[in-house]
Amino acid sequence: AFKDVTTLFLLNAVTGDEFAQAIITLNVAREAGVDRIVYLSVFEADRAVNVPHFAVKFGAERMLVQMDFSATILRPTYFIDNESMVKDVIME
């Protein structure tokens, strides 16, 4: 799947094995010769490590460093699309 890929955008699903998915992907990418990773993390991942999802994101960020990838880490604060999940509550 990574044949001739030089840059990978990594967006993990929010699941119980999110960290495992990230590590597996990073290892496969490294073996395939991917040079650069763009990783979608979360705002203040390094400060809110008591939140499991944030801790996973920060762990993956640290793995990018340890694996010596050239990386861009994006830490968005919020997506307005998230509001659609709670639309009824907001409208009421």
Side-chain angles (χ1 to χ4, degrees), residues 1-2 10 12 17 23 25 33 35 41 45-46 52 65 82-83 91:
F2 293 124
L10 181 55
N12 294 92
D17 66 345
I23 298 308
T25 303
D35 298 318
S41 186
D46 56 332
V65 172
N82 293 348
E83 297 299 335
M91 297 303 288

Side-chain angles (χ1 to χ4, degrees), residues 40-45 53-54 74-90:
L40 186 65
S41 186
V42 67
F43 181 69
E44 294 190 345
H53 175 63
F54 286 39
L74 305 174
R75 287 184 169 176
T77 59
Y78 193 74
F79 292 106
I80 196 68
D81 290 2
N82 293 348
E83 297 299 335
S84 65
M85 293 185 291
V86 293
K87 178 184 172 202
D88 294 338
V89 173
I90 293 171

Side-chain angles (χ1 to χ4, degrees), residues 29-59:
R30 181 175 56 182
E31 289 173 12
V34 173
D35 298 318
R36 181 167 194 71
I37 305 289
V38 178
Y39 181 63
L40 186 65
S41 186
V42 67
F43 181 69
E44 294 190 345
D46 56 332
R47 299 171 94 199
V49 292
N50 59 326
V51 178
H53 175 63
F54 286 39
V56 164
K57 295 292 191 186
F58 187 54

